[in-house]
Amino acid sequence: MKFLKYSLFALLCLSIFIISCDNEEPCIETTWYQDLDGDGLGNPNVSESSCDQIDGYVANSSDVNDTGVNPTPVSAFDEFNPDAVTVSFDGEEITISSNALINHTSPYWEEGSSLYIEPVVADADRMSPGAIREGSYTLTVSAFPELASTSTSTGLGAIGIAVSGAPIFNDEEGPNVALSANVASGFDYAGGHNGPTGYHYHLESQDVPENTTLSHDDEKLVGIMQDGFLLYGRRDADGEYPTDLDESGGHFGVTPHSNGEEIYHYHIINEFYTGSYVLLFGVDLKGTPNSIM
Ligand SMILES: [Zn+2]
Ligand SMILES: [Zn+2]
């Protein structure tokens, strides 16, 4: 009988031990939010529940734009002519508006204007008619521009806005009419001239003492294209010509404004176009173009 008591007692102890084993800390599930861009902030729209933290997920859910794409660096817009260009940010989008009144000298200014100069490089006989006048250009782009699945060819008219405030045109001077050396010889040192819609650039600016602001064979910011990607001069921030550009002159890399982050950006392609001219952008856009109104 005593033996039985002890056996029962031992059995009881054993069952308590087993029960307590089964009764481990209960699992409390937590919601984890995807953090594609690795900034420690999670995407409120992509979540999973689990007891333990999931790889690539965080507890925070405040990242409204967790695309894995770095945003266009805001400091780039400090390079734009503040008298002509206003830039507004709403988190998701950037709107660039310009009155097109450039901040550099040109023979295309009205004589008597403080920025008017005699032609430096322009062949006066080939200059296009008209004088620089106020215009209106507005471009709204994503603050997180992404490469599109297909490239888009550019059309006549503004395809980007340069730091001076004037629009960037491609390599056409009319519908399916390529810019000729003849026409280009009438351009000012900034690579621009007047057209029916106003003053605009086709070419990289030239290396003359009068050029104090615009990119010539360097790493300066040239402007922003209609797909939201920034256009830089022929060189990277390290002073070297980039060697890994795609057919649109673009690549992922750091820029003078990107704070060490790699962003997709274009460069002026280091090639001559019809003689000694260098086109600003005669290629296809890699992102999704927005119209410049
Ligand atoms: Zn033109
Ligand atoms: Zn670059």
Side-chain angles (χ1 to χ4, degrees), residues 169 173 193 200 202:
F169 277 37
E173 205 30 55
H193 71 153
H200 56 268
H202 292 273

Side-chain angles (χ1 to χ4, degrees), residues 40-144:
L41 308 177
N43 181 347
N45 301 317
V46 184
S47 63
E48 299 249 9
S49 289
S50 141
C51 297
D52 299 312
Q53 182 165 7
I54 308 164
D55 258 3
Y57 284 65
V58 292
N60 176 289
S61 65
S62 67
D63 201 346
V64 292
N65 208 315
D66 186 51
T67 55
V69 172
N70 288 316
T72 299
V74 167
S75 65
F77 297 96
D78 294 344
E79 310 288 346
F80 283 72
N81 167 14
D83 296 325
V85 181
T86 52
V87 183
S88 60
F89 309 90
D90 81 350
E92 299 276 302
E93 289 183 329
I94 305 172
T95 297
I96 303 108
S97 298
S98 176
N99 64 15
L101 294 174
I102 56 175
N103 54 350
H104 60 77
T105 56
S106 171
Y108 283 101
W109 281 103
E110 199 119 35
E111 272 187 65
S113 149
S114 61
L115 291 171
Y116 171 82
I117 55 165
E118 294 281 326
V120 181
V121 299
D123 178 345
D125 296 333
R126 300 212 184 274
M127 281 178 58
S128 44
I132 292 168
R133 60 178 190 274
E134 192 167 337
S136 172
Y137 296 94
T138 300
L139 168 65
T140 298
V141 296
S142 167
F144 297 80

Side-chain angles (χ1 to χ4, degrees), residues 10 25 30 36 39 48 61 63 91 113 118 124 133 178-179 181 183 201 211 221-223 231-232 238 262 275:
E25 274 290 287
T30 310
L36 261 183
D39 61 359
E48 299 249 9
S61 65
D63 201 346
S113 149
E118 294 281 326
R133 60 178 190 274
L179 183 66
V183 171
Y201 304 114
N211 181 14
L221 183 69
V222 174
L231 171 64
Y232 284 90
D238 60 5
E262 297 217 332

Side-chain angles (χ1 to χ4, degrees), residues 80 161-164 168 215 220-224 231-233 268 280:
F80 283 72
I161 295 176
V163 288
S164 69
I168 295 168
S215 170
K220 281 189 195 163
L221 183 69
V222 174
I224 185 163
L231 171 64
Y232 284 90
I268 293 177
L280 285 182

